[in-house]
Amino acid sequence: MVGARGFIGRALCAKFDTLNVPALPLDRGDLDSPDAVVRIGECRTIYWAASTINPAIAVDEPERVAVDQAAFSAFLDLLAKLASPPQVVLLSSGGTVYGRDIPPFTEDTPARPDTAYGRAKLDLERELSVRPLPQVIARISNAYGPGQRPARGQGVIGYWLSAVAARRPLRVIGSLDVVRDYLYIDDLVTALVALHEPDNSPNLLNLASGVPTTLREVLATIASVTGVERPKIELVPQRDFDLDEVWLDATLAYQTLGWKPQTNLATGIAATWDWVVSTNSTSGG
């Protein structure tokens, strides 16, 4: 697992641990170690979740896009030198690579990203697709859940819950009518674990709840779960790279993996809120 310190990486490694499946947690800096290269060669699957960008960073710091792409390319070069390279599972973005087409997006929807972040993700996909390596590209919707720390551009649910806990206004970008597809972290890692069996999956797969959800619905659920009936809102203008409606069709994942998300929004937000409260209490916040 390259990117093991990130939100999804930590959760995936923890899931493999509960299944008594050995996992190799790595970060990009570890790839220079000869020992790490040897251990990678012993793996059946390597997940790449080592991105350092989000939609805002991709616009403001294009040099980081180039660094991400160079790191992934070098990693694939390393794998190509192995006698029996592992399968590569690239964690990509279902929310941005399809662009501004009409949702729900299937794997057959043309990838026409019109944002720097979407183009960066599609470039990684293309870099992998031309390599003679066993591979799966997982286009993931908006993952959320316990363990997702609030940060710039890193998940509205976690960010809003942290704001509620700190009694800060909830920042709304554009409109409460923006539509997204929220996937609970436990459901996501269950699907990613299923991809550890190479024969079970196609080369391109959407992983998503398949449920279009407005920010207004997220806000109402947060109010219900936290008991804060009318959280204060700070409305800011929509940015050029923000999309109005994004949700995915994950039928292919069900057909090939037998996977369906099991966690509805209220349950997922409640579990995330419990984690936020617990984290704040243990940190003295």
Side-chain angles (χ1 to χ4, degrees), residues 208-281:
S209 72
V211 179
T213 304
T214 66
L215 286 178
R216 193 179 307 278
E217 292 171 294
V218 173
L219 180 62
T221 305
I222 286 177
S224 175
V225 165
T226 63
V228 179
E229 293 185 7
R230 294 185 179 180
K232 292 183 179 179
I233 299 297
E234 177 191 355
L235 189 63
V236 299
Q238 187 177 41
R239 301 160 298 186
D240 291 342
F241 54 81
D242 291 319
L243 305 178
D244 292 328
E245 294 186 325
V246 176
W247 74 94
L248 309 182
D249 184 324
T251 300
L252 186 60
Y254 173 69
Q255 293 172 340
T256 56
L257 304 178
W259 170 84
K260 279 187 176 180
Q262 302 298 311
T263 311
N264 63 34
L265 188 68
T267 302
I269 286 180
T272 309
W273 173 242
D274 288 343
W275 178 81
V276 169
V277 171
S278 173
T279 302
N280 284 352
S281 70

Side-chain angles (χ1 to χ4, degrees), residues 53-65 116-117 152 239 241:
I53 63 172
N54 59 39
I57 290 174
V59 172
D60 297 338
E61 303 178 52
E63 66 279 4
R64 287 176 61 174
V65 174
Y117 183 76
R152 180 190 178 202
R239 301 160 298 186
F241 54 81

Side-chain angles (χ1 to χ4, degrees), residues 33-194:
S33 164
D35 178 64
V37 174
V38 171
R39 296 183 68 189
I40 287 171
E42 298 170 350
C43 294
R44 184 197 305 169
T45 305
I46 289 287
Y47 299 83
W48 182 271
S51 176
T52 66
I53 63 172
N54 59 39
I57 290 174
V59 172
D60 297 338
E61 303 178 52
E63 66 279 4
R64 287 176 61 174
V65 174
V67 169
D68 271 11
Q69 292 171 343
F72 187 54
S73 180
F75 172 68
L76 297 181
D77 288 343
L78 182 155
L79 295 186
K81 297 175 183 178
L82 299 175
S84 181
Q87 171 186 238
V88 179
V89 177
L90 171 63
L91 276 57
S92 187
S93 168
T96 60
V97 297
Y98 293 114
R100 300 181 189 270
D101 212 325
I102 299 174
F105 305 136
T106 72
E107 292 82 357
D108 293 328
T109 301
R112 291 190 287 242
D114 63 353
T115 66
Y117 183 76
R119 289 190 292 270
K121 289 298 184 180
L122 187 59
D123 284 344
L124 294 183
E125 293 186 11
R126 288 170 172 164
E127 178 74 18
L128 177 59
S129 66
V130 299
R131 302 292 187 118
L133 295 166
Q135 59 188 257
V136 178
I137 295 167
R139 289 177 174 168
I140 300 170
S141 65
N142 296 69
Y144 76 99
Q148 187 177 38
R149 301 189 181 280
R152 180 190 178 202
Q154 295 295 321
V156 67
I157 290 176
Y159 196 85
W160 278 3
L161 288 175
S162 294
V164 170
R167 298 179 175 84
R168 297 193 308 267
L170 277 59
R171 192 171 187 236
V172 177
I173 299 175
S175 165
L176 285 172
D177 295 320
V178 165
V179 175
R180 291 293 183 266
D181 182 329
Y182 299 99
L183 180 61
Y184 188 60
I185 186 63
D186 287 3
D187 292 324
L188 172 57
V189 297
T190 297
L192 293 175
V193 167

